[in-house]
Amino acid sequence: MPQPSAPRKTQGRPPRISREEIIETARRIVDEGGVDRLTMRRLATEIGSTPMALYHHVRDKEELLVLLLDDYAARTLRRPELPAHPRERVVVAATAVHEALAACPWIVEVLTADDLMSTTALWFVEQIVDGLVECGLSPDLAVHGYRAIWYYTAGEIVVRTTAARRRADDDRATYREQVFADLDPSELPRLAQVADHWAPLTAEDTYLDGLRALVNGLLAGR
């Protein structure tokens, strides 16, 4: 007599995931391997779900990066006490952004795309633009001024971070060090004069000095 077949096991539903879990896991992936290592497929694997399940919470990787930016800004950006003088407000607001981003350089790799912006950080942008307007720039020129300040800030962090990472990965003399060790004083007298301490000079943290010079140049004559 034929035995009744065993009941077929039904496929269980994938575990329910939250946006908070998605952000936390994505942040860990980026912290460990950088933005390039973050993909929707890898994120789903790390969570123990499927890419399709993620799309119920985030539209695509770009939206995920925006969420990461807002998460990071909400956790690290602290609104400083602003001075009364608008020129100093610009400097203080930009410095606060620089300090937060320098502590987590992968953020800059995202922001340099120039089309992703954290809404949490807009307060700092407002202070910079408003300060420049209060100092005499038109709103349009103030936006240009903010862009120059942002490019300087992001560029300084990118260059410094990339150089530090390269030195950590390879202790051999850099190409620049090799070139500077053999400069011709008759052709490049000033560079030859400082060649032996060029590296420590350029490694100094001069962000604030450069920022003040930039702001003063933007507001020259005002």
Side-chain angles (χ1 to χ4, degrees), residues 17-221:
I17 57 178
S18 66
R19 177 169 286 200
E20 290 73 21
E21 184 180 6
I22 291 172
I23 294 174
E24 181 180 349
T25 305
R27 183 172 68 240
R28 176 171 54 78
I29 292 173
V30 171
D31 285 341
E32 293 175 355
V35 174
D36 292 341
R37 302 298 295 273
L38 177 62
T39 65
M40 300 297 279
R41 183 175 298 278
R42 176 174 179 180
L43 179 59
T45 300
E46 294 277 343
I47 292 176
S49 186
T50 65
M52 287 304 299
L54 295 182
Y55 291 125
H56 291 294
H57 298 272
V58 290
R59 184 178 62 251
D60 49 28
K61 181 178 176 179
E62 183 171 288
E63 183 178 0
L64 178 59
L65 292 175
V66 171
L67 291 175
L68 282 178
L69 290 179
D70 271 328
D71 170 71
Y72 181 78
R75 289 185 296 106
T76 61
L77 276 177
R78 298 291 178 264
R79 297 183 179 184
E81 182 176 348
L82 296 175
H85 196 286
R87 185 184 301 243
E88 284 302 306
R89 290 208 306 269
V90 172
V91 172
V92 169
T95 301
V97 172
H98 177 267
E99 290 177 354
L101 295 182
C104 189
W106 69 259
I107 293 290
V108 180
E109 298 178 35
V110 179
L111 289 177
T112 47
D114 210 31
D115 57 353
L116 300 180
M117 179 176 288
S118 165
T119 55
T120 306
L122 288 180
W123 181 86
F124 296 83
V125 180
E126 167 72 17
Q127 306 315 311
I128 294 172
V129 172
D130 179 66
L132 294 174
V133 170
E134 288 293 317
C135 285
L137 296 186
S138 69
D140 288 356
L141 287 179
V143 172
H144 291 167
Y146 160 73
R147 183 180 62 180
I149 292 170
W150 166 240
Y151 284 1
Y152 167 63
T153 299
E156 196 270 349
I157 295 175
V158 168
V159 171
R160 185 178 298 277
T161 303
T162 303
R165 185 184 302 138
R166 187 166 55 242
R167 286 193 296 269
D169 294 340
D170 190 348
D171 58 0
R172 295 176 299 176
T174 65
Y175 178 71
R176 184 187 65 186
E177 290 169 342
Q178 296 174 30
V179 170
F180 271 53
D182 195 31
L183 291 179
D184 182 357
S186 64
E187 182 180 2
L188 304 168
R190 291 301 183 194
L191 292 183
Q193 183 181 17
V194 296
D196 61 342
H197 53 291
W198 180 277
L201 281 175
T202 56
E204 292 179 5
D205 183 0
T206 58
Y207 171 78
L208 185 57
D209 292 337
L211 175 62
R212 289 190 181 280
L214 176 57
V215 172
N216 289 339
L218 291 170
L219 300 174

